[in-house]
Every structure is written in C-alpha cells, then in structure tokens.
Amino acid sequence: SMLNFSTSALADADVLLYVTDVVETPDKHNDFVEKVGHLDVPVLLLINKIDLSNQEKLVELVEAWKELLPKAEIIPISATSKFNVDYVMKRVKELLPDSPPYFDKDQWTDKPARFFVTEIIREKILLYYDKEIPYSVEVMVEQFKEEAKKIHISAVIYVERDSQKGIIIGKQGKALKKVATEARRDLERFFGKTIFLETFVKVDKDWRSSDKELRNFGYQLD
C-alpha cells in the first residue's frame, strides 16, 4: 500500500524533512512521530507560517515538538517571506553523506522521458489545486511518440473520486486546460521540441491502497 511505501522510504532516507506549521498542533502528527522516533535518520522539522504567529506561541510550539522528537532539529521558517529557507538548504547539504558517484558524469539521469512528463504535470497540479487534491492524484503517460522536431504525448490524470475529477477538470474545462498549457510549455523547454499534449482525467477508486495499481504507477514496494 501507499503507507508501506512511505514507511520504507523513511528508512532509506539520508535526511528527513517534515513540514508542519504554526496552526497545526503536534498531537495531529502522532503517526509521523511514531514512525520516525526510532529511526537514526537526521530529522529536520520545519515549522512554517511563522509570520502568522508571535514569539510566545512559537516558543511554546517549538518546546512541544522538542518533547516529542528530542533528536530532531526544529527550524522555524516562512516560505512566504523566505525566512530561514536558505538555512534549511544549507543544513540539508551538510547532513547528506559523501558517496561515490552512482552514474557517469555525462549521464544526468537514469529516468525515462515518460517519468519527466508525469512529474511536470504533477508539479502543475500541486501548484494549482488546494487541500487534498494534489495528494489524491497520479499521472500515467499512455502515449509518447517522438519525432524529429515534435513529440505527441497522451497523459491520464487518475483521481480517487468523481468529485475530485470535477475539481481537476474545472468549470468548462478551464482548470485542466491551465494545467495542460503550463505543462506543455515546460515540456517544450525540457525536451527542446514542439509538444502536442493531450490530458484526460479518470477515476480509479482507492488506487493508493492497491499494491497492483501502485506498481503500475511505478512505485517499488518490495
């Protein structure tokens, strides 16, 4: 299941970043605390939206998190004002272990072209939709036909419920059109070719809890 996949990913991580904010209380994150409490992975716990709080409340929140995760490094940040964002990047680089290169210097990726298509479309969904929608979708490329100067791509956006399908498509298809237009522009920059992109939305109920579906989407569960 998706839960098993995320749990195994935690154990394999070199650094773990967990983002919460000043609105959420630590008791809402018991599952996370239970999972990472016994791991040896360095944890950076980022408390976002500190621009919406005051010093007294922030200190109380930091102390509450320290009690739950004494080994974690707690960093207050504001993504809006960019406060401490550079410091987070600095700490990530410091915590990443040195290792020999896994690939040749001229090999810039081990992923197929379809992977980048799905990631670029998913990025647009993350940017343009609120709440749970970005985390309830998956993208699959059904056609990738490359020619000398152009690429024809057909991609399906899978959601779990009919209501989510309506949100993704939007009124008169405007929301989906925006995603496709922005994704196409990025894909043209990425591949250096003219892109013809077709996007569709389908419902696949409970895909996140199906090992078979997760494997179809490229997740490695074993």
Side-chain angles (χ1 to χ4, degrees):
S1 68
M2 196 72 167
L3 179 60
N4 292 334
F5 175 78
S6 61
T7 302
S8 63
L10 289 177
D12 291 337
D14 292 317
V15 182
L16 176 60
L17 277 74
Y18 191 77
V19 183
T20 180
D21 60 44
V22 296
V23 179
E24 296 179 328
T25 55
D27 61 328
K28 290 185 178 180
H29 302 264
N30 290 333
D31 289 344
F32 165 74
V33 172
E34 184 177 345
K35 287 176 186 175
V36 305
H38 64 281
L39 297 177
D40 293 328
V41 179
V43 177
L44 301 181
L45 192 140
L46 314 181
I47 303 178
N48 193 21
K49 301 182 181 179
I50 63 169
D51 49 297
L52 302 180
S53 184
N54 57 50
Q55 185 71 19
E56 182 180 353
K57 291 181 179 179
L58 181 59
V59 169
E60 291 177 359
L61 191 57
V62 169
E63 291 301 320
W65 274 112
K66 280 184 178 179
E67 187 173 343
L68 287 173
L69 290 172
K71 293 190 293 184
E73 180 177 347
I74 301 171
I75 307 174
I77 68 169
S78 171
T80 300
S81 64
K82 309 297 183 185
F83 177 77
N84 260 351
V85 173
D86 288 341
Y87 177 73
V88 171
M89 294 299 296
K90 175 176 175 289
R91 289 296 293 133
V92 170
K93 291 177 182 178
E94 290 172 347
L95 290 168
L96 286 175
D98 292 328
S99 64
Y102 292 105
F103 307 101
D104 295 333
K105 290 183 178 180
D106 58 350
Q107 183 180 355
W108 59 277
T109 181
D110 64 332
K111 298 294 185 181
R114 289 176 179 235
F115 169 82
F116 294 99
V117 174
T118 62
E119 288 300 292
I120 287 173
I121 295 174
R122 278 167 51 84
E123 178 194 43
K124 303 311 172 190
I125 294 171
L126 283 166
L127 289 173
Y128 299 139
Y129 296 91
D130 295 328
K131 298 181 180 178
E132 83 282 357
I133 292 297
Y135 308 100
S136 302
V137 305
E138 189 53 83
V139 181
M140 180 174 287
V141 176
E142 292 196 336
Q143 182 188 52
F144 187 94
K145 185 179 180 182
E146 187 169 5
E147 300 177 13
K149 295 183 179 180
K150 58 187 177 182
I151 304 174
H152 294 264
I153 300 171
S154 177
V156 178
I157 300 170
Y158 285 94
V159 296
E160 291 185 294
R161 298 191 297 273
D162 289 325
S163 59
Q164 294 170 341
K165 179 178 179 179
I167 294 172
I168 290 288
I169 294 173
K171 187 177 181 180
Q172 298 179 336
K174 290 182 179 179
L176 181 60
K177 183 178 180 181
K178 182 178 181 180
V179 167
T181 299
E182 294 297 321
R184 179 181 56 78
R185 289 172 181 168
D186 281 5
L187 288 167
E188 287 184 336
R189 284 193 290 266
F190 184 84
F191 289 107
K193 295 184 178 183
T194 300
I195 301 293
F196 295 92
L197 176 63
E198 291 182 301
T199 53
F200 306 90
V201 184
K202 295 182 180 180
V203 177
D204 185 357
K205 294 183 178 179
D206 301 321
W207 66 263
R208 289 190 296 178
S209 58
S210 168
D211 288 354
K212 179 181 178 182
E213 293 296 339
L214 288 170
R215 288 191 177 93
N216 288 339
F217 288 129
Y219 291 93
Q220 297 178 355
L221 305 179
D222 300 327

